[in-house]
Amino acid sequence: MKKTQEKQKPQLYCKEKNLLQLPVFCFEKPNGQEKSEIFWEEEDGQKCQIICHSSHGIPGSLEQDVYAACMRLWILQGMKRFIEVQYSDIAIILNLNPTHWRTKIKKALFKLGDTRYEFTECFIDAKQRSIRKTVHFSLFDTTEFQNESKKGGKWNKNKLYFPDDLKINLEQKYYQWLDFQLYTSIKSGVPRRLYEFLEKRRYHHVEGTFSIGEEKLFRWIPLINKNIRMRRKTLKDAVEALIAVQYLAEYQWDKKSKVCSF
């Protein structure tokens, strides 16, 4: 009976709440794009922006998955000040073949450490309970990569450290628990991002329905293709993927008000 109960325990990971809300991964930029910018104005007139710089290309779908896997490992390792990872650990957690994906995962980790974000008037400091005017950091502030020899060959041993701004918020428990098993069951890319965003907004529902303006949703994912029909199709495909895994029951789009309801 005990073994059966253990198997039923959810596989959890968590994310700092700013990173659930803000669009830090991009799904529509070509490989090699070194900069992305998102600007918007809040209802109170506050002007906000997120600028992303990376000499290795803007983080996208794979980097989103690798980061989620790292946060799963962070929990399994006792939520310490760093995460110790091997490329094969990440591949196995993501249900990928370690041999085939090792190099790609290695590059994704380098990209996560290299990419620099600039947040203006949109990053919440959980300790001060206020919005910071400007914040600059990478998702992993310091990355230590090294190879160690062991019988039969070499193996990689890597330590990933959080930047101070994220570390402080995580220490304040400003994070949200998420279902990793559900995450990996969802079709990759935008559907997984939509799951995380909707989970962040789960408690903003009215009678089980969460509604949001189409343009706001496009910004938060983000979907930035200039072709509005393509953006809507991408969103529709993502919603259908969430319905397929029974995370969502229904989706409606009001053509007149341009409001999406989940």
Side-chain angles (χ1 to χ4, degrees), residues 6 12 34 51 59 77 92 94 109 114 122 138 154 167 175 191 209 211 224 229 232 260:
E6 287 177 352
L12 299 176
E34 295 185 356
I51 301 177
Q77 294 173 10
I92 291 169
L94 291 171
L109 285 173
D114 171 77
C122 60
S138 298
K154 289 186 176 181
K167 183 173 65 176
Y175 53 73
T209 299
S211 298
I224 53 179
R229 290 185 179 180
R232 287 172 179 164
C260 303

Side-chain angles (χ1 to χ4, degrees), residues 10 15 34 47 53 66 71 81 83 111 113 126 128 130 143 156 168 170 189 193-194 216 219-220 225 240 242 257:
K15 276 195 174 180
E34 295 185 356
K47 295 181 179 180
H53 302 267
V66 169
M71 296 308 292
R81 64 186 182 90
I83 309 168
K111 188 180 290 188
Q128 300 298 326
S130 63
T143 54
N156 60 283
I168 290 171
L170 290 172
R193 164 58 184 156
L194 182 61
K216 285 185 178 181
R219 176 213 305 158
W220 294 131
N225 191 308
E240 289 176 351
L242 295 188
S257 64

Side-chain angles (χ1 to χ4, degrees), residues 41-48 131:
E41 187 172 318
E42 296 287 1
E43 294 177 359
D44 62 1
Q46 182 63 60
K47 295 181 179 180
C48 309
I131 296 176

Side-chain angles (χ1 to χ4, degrees), residues 82 85 93 95 114 123 132 147 183 188 194 239 255 262:
F82 62 84
V85 302
I93 285 177
N95 300 319
D114 171 77
F123 187 89
R132 298 273 298 280
N147 289 320
Y183 179 88
S188 65
L194 182 61
V239 172
K255 187 175 181 180
F262 303 91

Side-chain angles (χ1 to χ4, degrees), residues 32 53 58 62-63 98 101 113 154-155 157 160 192 217 235 244:
H53 302 267
I58 302 301
L62 178 58
E63 287 71 37
W101 284 88
K154 289 186 176 181
W155 62 289
K157 184 179 181 181
L160 312 174
R192 290 180 177 178
L217 186 58
L235 176 61

Side-chain angles (χ1 to χ4, degrees), residues 203-217:
Y203 303 107
H204 297 192
H205 69 81
V206 177
E207 296 182 353
T209 299
F210 169 67
S211 298
I212 184 172
E214 178 184 70
E215 287 301 320
K216 285 185 178 181
L217 186 58

